[in-house]
Amino acid sequence: MTSGGARTRTRTGGHMRAERTEAEPGFYLARAASGFIVHMNVCEENLRAVRKVTLEVLAAAGVNIETAESARLVASELIGNAVRACGHWVPVVVEVEQDTKGIWVKVHDPNPAHLPVRSGTAPDDPNAESGRGLWLLDALAPGWDVVLTPIGKQVRCLLPAPEALLAVVLGTADTEHDVRKRAETI
């Protein structure tokens, strides 16, 4: 990736103000103080770059390493699901952004017909080699959802801020239905 890049004003939707963009064939990254957006064709090199920038941007925003690692894991899982749904080199849009609720990880792919389906694999099956991805999303981003769009689908995950996790443990958190309804308004 290039280190300089051009300056941009805002991204579509106006949530993050982009500070710097970096572009290479099949990879366009717009960084912001609270996160980033990358348009990319999925390949091993680009996946490594997304994993790296996820940690860099979240660490620079003051996110603890454990939460940043969880966000990186969720992004990797969602990108892998997009490859399984659409094939290698699929064009995706990956968004990672910190806000007061936690860390948002969103992956948009072009196949609205292939929705995430839970496998019959138990999360604690010691012999399973795959099939735990949705269990992982449930654990790290309770209330994740899928939104169909005119150009495909977007899987949206919110890794709750530590205060929100404490509310879940104490039983004072919103129900999954409340979380999903709130996510629909975003």
Side-chain angles (χ1 to χ4, degrees):
M1 273 183 283
T2 60
S3 60
R7 297 241 176 229
T8 60
R9 296 171 91 160
T10 61
R11 78 166 172 93
T12 304
H15 292 107
M16 286 189 284
R17 293 195 58 80
E19 295 178 347
R20 183 175 63 193
T21 59
E22 301 172 16
E24 290 190 4
F27 192 88
Y28 181 84
L29 171 66
R31 294 177 185 242
S34 63
F36 68 90
I37 301 170
V38 65
H39 297 251
M40 70 177 199
N41 292 96
V42 180
C43 66
E44 194 60 40
E45 179 183 350
N46 289 346
L47 181 55
R48 273 193 304 274
V50 167
R51 289 176 179 148
K52 180 180 177 197
V53 77
T54 298
L55 287 180
E56 289 173 355
V57 169
L58 293 177
V63 173
N64 70 52
I65 189 66
E66 185 176 313
T67 303
E69 286 284 356
S70 293
R72 179 169 78 160
L73 183 58
V74 167
S76 294
E77 179 61 32
L78 295 180
I79 294 166
N81 287 350
V83 169
R84 283 184 283 286
C86 305
H88 293 287
W89 295 99
V90 60
V92 298
V93 177
V94 180
E95 298 178 66
V96 176
E97 180 178 14
Q98 178 186 22
D99 70 13
T100 57
K101 297 175 194 138
I103 307 296
W104 284 99
V105 179
K106 303 173 187 176
V107 174
H108 197 276
D109 73 53
N111 188 344
H114 192 102
L115 299 174
V117 176
R118 194 172 305 282
S119 73
T121 305
D124 59 351
D125 182 347
N127 298 317
E129 295 182 15
S130 64
R132 295 189 186 106
L134 298 182
W135 294 108
L136 175 73
L137 295 183
D138 290 341
L140 296 175
W144 63 272
D145 66 350
V146 180
V147 177
L148 298 180
T149 70
I151 59 169
K153 70 177 173 292
Q154 184 182 60
V155 181
R156 304 180 303 182
C157 298
L158 174 63
L159 287 79
E163 310 80 53
L165 285 176
L166 182 59
V168 169
V169 171
L170 296 175
T172 59
D174 294 333
T175 66
E176 181 177 325
H177 174 74
D178 294 335
V179 172
R180 286 181 190 265
K181 292 305 275 183
R182 223 180 12 258
E184 289 172 5
T185 64
I186 295 175

